[in-house]
């Protein structure tokens, strides 16, 4: 991997009064996302946190082009998002690797779609596999890999196509705590070398503060932005430092209010202690 | 390729089964004192088998039957796979076509034999028609279920990795993802086709394993009938073994 400092393909995201309401057949409409606005600068790492069902995944799916917003609009580098596009990369929670292809052809999949010749795309794929430390696994079948390795392949796959934004939907949610720590570290390393705009959905406040330049806390359903917190700490960030703890406190305070609402909605007592 | 020892190990159970069948067969002949025109002893059947192999007559029958099944089966796959892909992908299209399929499906391919003879006579076309019907539904239904069970997240992954048209998505994601299920359908349908060709040839043919059996019955040569039956059994097992190899190639385990 070359440590590029040259300008690379990365774009900002503008969200203007964007809202999503689902109308399931034969029942009342459900407002998943209350009209929300947000500006994301090129190269920013945004973490979206919030209680389950707060619409953070909905927002991500709008940005990916899978869902059309009911109101408002979202722009990537000034262009409206209309449909899924190779320029808007995505990493899924359950990896979404193609099991009929081996590791290297998974990473090269998008490159082939971009029209790159076989030798060239294999070179590029190998380069990105090396970046995630899986160069020796290029010819393995996907099902021979552990969950953590699969997600590293997925990360190599998305960075290899050089998209202008990368969307990550709880990418480490299915992994054990140690693997998760390792992958957080590795992702951060890659992001520091490839300053892509990243929107990262997570349930973990710690993960959000460790990775992101800005943490956005969403309210309980219908979701909207509750807190937009810049994290002003140098990398690598220390989980145990006082500053880290301060950010955790700020975010948990906001999040707890929303969690209490969620519990109430689900028939709980509305009591929540950290 | 499998090592020879492993191949031998997989053939061994079939060998035991064959020996068991021959022993029981011989015992039945001995105890019932069956007339040779009704049930010949295994040795006579084996002699007839060897004779038909030596003269090449058996291969003519096998070739005729196999040729019919293969051509009808290929034809059937060419229609059923694209149709199944479309039905699995587009709900509205499925709702339109499915009732037609469900009405035709319970009708045994054998029930089509009279119409096939009326429409096409006793030539090749009629038999191809019967086998087409016999092989069509297993391929179609497996293709539909294969497409429907494609993990939606793989389709999304395909979309964000540059499969922007439905055609690209089909070629690069949906078809390969559904392939293992489609191969199972192809395998099952070859079996149903193989069973149906014998029936079709029993009724109307001048060549083929079904003809060999029917002819044996008419001239009271039950050894010919049994040779035909044995050939069907052996070929059935052999063809299935080939499919299992193909299957292993196209399944990715888990």
């Amino acid at each position: 991997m070359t440590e590029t400092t040259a300008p690379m393909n990365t774009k900002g995201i503008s969200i203007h009064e964007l809202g999503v309401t689902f109308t399931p057949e034969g029942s009342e409409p459900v407002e998943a996302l209350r009209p929300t606005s947000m500006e994301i600068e090129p190269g920013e790492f945004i973490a979206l946190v919030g209680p389950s069902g707060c619409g953070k995944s909905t927002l991500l799916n709008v940005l990916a082009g899978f869902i059309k917003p009911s109101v408002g609009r979202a722009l990537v580098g000034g262009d409206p998002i209309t449909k899924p596009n190779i320029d808007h990369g995505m990493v899924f929670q359950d990896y979404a690797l193609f099991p009929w292809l081996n590791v290297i052809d998974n990473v090269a999949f998008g490159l082939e779609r971009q029209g790159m010749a076989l030798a060239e795309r294999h070179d590029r794929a190998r380069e990105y596999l090396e970046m995630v430390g899986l160069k020796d696994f290029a010819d393995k079948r996907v099902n021979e890999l552990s969950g953590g390795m699969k997600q590293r392949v997925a990360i190599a796959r998305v960075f290899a196509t050089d998209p202008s934004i990368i969307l990550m939907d709880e990418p480490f949610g299915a992994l054990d705590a140690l693997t998760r720590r390792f992958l957080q570290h590795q992702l951060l390393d890659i992001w520091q070398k490839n300053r892509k705009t990243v929107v990262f959905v997570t349930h973990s406040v710690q993960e959000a503060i460790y990775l992101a330049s800005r943490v956005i806390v969403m309210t309980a359903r219908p979701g909207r932005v509750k807190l937009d917190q810049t994290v002003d700490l140098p990398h690598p960030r220390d989980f145990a430092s006082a500053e880290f703890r301060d950010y955790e406190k700020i975010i948990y305070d906001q999040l707890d209010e929303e969690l209490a609402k969620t519990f109430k909605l689900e028939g709980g007592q509305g009591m929540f202690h950290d | 390729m499998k090592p020879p020892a492993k191949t031998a190990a997989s053939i061994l159970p079939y060998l035991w089964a064959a020996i068991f069948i021959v022993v029981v067969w011989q015992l039945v002949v001995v105890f019932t004192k069956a007339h040779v025109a009704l049930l010949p002893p295994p040795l006579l059947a084996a002699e007839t088998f060897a004779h038909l192999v030596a003269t090449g007559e058996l291969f003519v029958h096998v070739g005729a039957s196999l040729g019919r099944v293969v051509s009808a089966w290929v034809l059937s796959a060419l229609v059923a796979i694209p149709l199944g892909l479309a039905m699995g992908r587009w709900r509205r299209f499925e709702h339109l076509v499915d009732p037609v399929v469900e009405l035709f499906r319970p009708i045994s391919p054998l029930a089509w034999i009279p119409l096939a003879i009326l429409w096409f006579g006793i030539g090749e076309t009629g038999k191809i028609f019967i086998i087409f019907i016999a092989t069509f539904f297993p391929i179609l239904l497996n293709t539909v279920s294969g497409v429907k069970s494609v993990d939606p997240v793989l389709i999304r992954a395909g979309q964000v990795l540059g499969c922007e048209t439905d055609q690209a998505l089909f070629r690069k994601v949906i078809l390969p993802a559904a392939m293992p299920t489609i191969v199972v359908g192809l395998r099952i349908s070859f079996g149903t086709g193989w069973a149906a060709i014998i029936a079709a040839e029993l009724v109307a043919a001048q060549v083929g394993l079904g003809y060999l059996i029917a002819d044996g019955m008419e001239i009271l040569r039950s050894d010919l009938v049994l040779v035909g039956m044995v050939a069907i059994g052996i070929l059935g097992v052999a063809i299935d073994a080939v499919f299992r190899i193909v299957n292993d190639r196209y399944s990715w385990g888990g």
Side-chain angles (χ1 to χ4, degrees):
Chain A
M1 245 341 271
T2 45
E3 291 202 21
T4 32
T5 43
M8 50 164 28
N9 183 24
T10 185
K11 288 175 184 164
I13 303 170
S14 303
I15 297 166
H16 299 293
E17 291 301 315
L18 181 114
V20 178
T21 304
F22 294 112
T23 314
E25 245 173 274
S27 55
E28 292 292 294
V30 179
E31 190 179 25
L33 191 69
R34 182 153 286 180
T36 298
S37 297
M38 209 183 282
E39 284 297 323
I40 299 170
E41 298 298 318
E44 261 194 308
F45 196 126
I46 302 289
L48 283 178
V49 294
S52 309
C54 72
K56 52 193 192 300
S57 288
T58 305
L59 177 57
L60 208 67
N61 284 330
V62 171
L63 295 179
F66 296 137
I67 300 177
K68 295 237 178 303
S70 314
V71 293
R73 60 203 184 118
L75 309 170
V76 171
D79 300 318
I81 296 162
T82 51
K83 56 177 186 169
N85 184 325
I86 196 164
D87 194 43
H88 309 159
M90 186 140 183
V91 177
F92 301 85
Q93 178 172 5
D94 31 16
Y95 326 124
L97 298 180
F98 303 118
W100 58 92
L101 298 176
N102 62 12
V103 167
I104 191 161
D105 285 326
N106 263 282
V107 179
F109 185 96
L111 303 173
E112 191 204 345
R113 300 301 306 162
Q114 288 172 328
M116 200 181 273
L118 180 72
E120 198 188 338
R121 64 176 186 258
H122 271 188
D123 284 347
R124 172 90 80 98
R126 231 172 239 117
E127 201 180 296
Y128 280 83
L129 277 175
E130 188 171 10
M131 184 179 79
V132 296
L134 291 176
K135 204 176 108 197
D136 296 339
F137 292 82
D139 299 322
K140 292 270 183 210
R141 294 200 135 198
V142 166
N143 285 316
E144 294 174 66
L145 306 183
S146 68
M149 287 159 97
K150 283 181 187 166
Q151 199 57 296
R152 284 149 75 194
V153 173
I155 289 170
R157 180 173 73 173
V158 75
F159 276 93
T161 58
D162 193 28
S164 57
I165 64 169
I166 294 178
L167 309 164
M168 302 185 128
D169 193 4
E170 295 181 47
F172 306 147
L175 304 175
D176 66 84
L178 289 175
T179 309
R180 198 173 175 141
R181 258 184 90 116
F182 174 65
L183 261 72
Q184 287 165 356
H185 181 78
Q186 197 169 46
L187 173 64
L188 201 58
D189 214 41
I190 294 164
W191 177 73
Q192 284 175 321
K193 290 173 193 158
N194 304 259
R195 288 261 174 184
K196 299 270 169 207
T197 310
V198 175
V199 182
F200 188 104
V201 166
T202 178
H203 275 119
S204 161
V205 172
Q206 210 186 38
E207 182 169 85
I209 300 168
Y210 182 72
L211 293 170
S213 34
R214 249 165 83 197
V215 178
I216 292 173
V217 179
M218 312 257 305
T219 63
R221 174 174 287 178
R224 58 187 167 74
V225 174
K226 168 131 178 148
L227 171 75
D228 186 339
Q229 178 66 52
T230 302
V231 182
D232 204 4
L233 290 175
H235 290 291
R237 292 172 182 164
D238 179 3
F239 291 116
S241 70
E243 295 90 337
F244 199 98
R245 291 291 166 98
D246 290 343
Y247 280 113
E248 268 186 323
K249 170 127 183 53
I250 294 167
I251 290 163
Y252 268 124
D253 281 348
Q254 299 290 316
L255 207 48
D256 285 349
E257 286 180 25
E258 296 309 316
L259 285 173
K261 278 187 215 163
T262 309
F263 283 134
K264 238 181 220 160
L265 280 176
E266 289 173 0
Q269 293 303 305
M271 297 295 286
F272 190 84
H273 298 292
D274 189 20
Chain B
M1 242 5 261
K2 280 189 199 172
K6 218 173 157 189
T7 311
S10 64
I11 287 176
L12 213 57
Y14 288 99
L15 207 62
W16 286 120
I19 291 171
F20 174 76
I21 291 166
V22 168
V23 168
V24 172
W25 178 357
Q26 181 68 46
L27 287 175
V28 172
V29 171
V30 169
F31 283 108
T32 62
K33 300 186 175 62
H35 189 280
V36 71
L38 298 182
L39 184 65
L43 190 64
L44 176 60
E47 276 169 13
T48 309
F49 193 97
H51 176 71
L52 288 184
V53 169
T55 59
E57 205 186 325
L58 187 64
F59 300 112
V60 174
H61 293 301
V62 167
S65 294
L66 262 183
R68 286 166 186 152
V69 174
V70 170
S71 44
W73 174 74
V74 168
L75 218 61
S76 173
L78 288 178
V79 180
I81 293 175
L83 185 64
L85 290 174
M87 284 173 70
R89 182 78 177 133
W90 293 295
R91 261 250 178 95
R92 265 190 220 149
F93 184 65
E94 195 200 3
H95 285 320
L96 208 67
V97 180
D98 199 50
V100 182
V101 170
E102 288 306 312
L103 280 175
F104 274 101
R105 197 161 66 96
I107 303 172
S108 159
L110 308 188
W112 287 92
I113 292 177
L115 274 185
I117 294 172
L118 284 176
W119 290 349
F120 306 109
I122 57 168
E124 291 304 299
T125 319
K127 287 170 200 67
I128 305 265
F129 175 75
I130 300 293
I131 306 311
F132 183 89
I133 290 173
T135 51
F136 187 76
F137 295 107
I139 303 178
L140 180 73
L141 297 180
N142 271 278
T143 307
V144 173
S145 94
V147 172
K148 281 187 171 175
S149 57
V150 174
D151 189 345
V153 83
L154 290 183
I155 292 176
R156 289 189 160 190
Q159 287 176 320
V160 291
L161 286 164
C163 297
E164 290 179 14
T165 61
D166 254 342
Q167 194 218 346
L169 210 54
F170 263 117
R171 206 162 50 81
K172 303 302 291 185
V173 180
I174 296 172
L175 189 60
M179 208 47 175
T181 323
I182 295 174
V183 170
V184 169
L186 287 171
R187 180 179 162 192
I188 294 172
S189 71
F190 204 96
T192 57
W194 188 237
I197 186 65
I198 306 303
E201 287 172 348
L202 280 176
V203 180
Q206 273 90 45
V207 64
L209 287 170
Y211 166 78
L212 180 68
I213 292 174
D215 193 45
M217 182 189 75
E218 274 170 27
I219 61 173
L220 285 180
R221 283 279 305 276
S222 58
D223 56 328
L224 287 178
V225 175
L226 282 158
V227 167
M229 289 171 69
V230 168
I232 291 165
I234 292 173
L235 277 166
V237 171
I239 291 163
D240 209 55
V242 172
F243 269 109
R244 231 172 296 168
I245 294 167
V246 176
N247 221 9
D248 288 346
R249 255 189 74 102
Y250 278 101
S251 64
W252 44 79

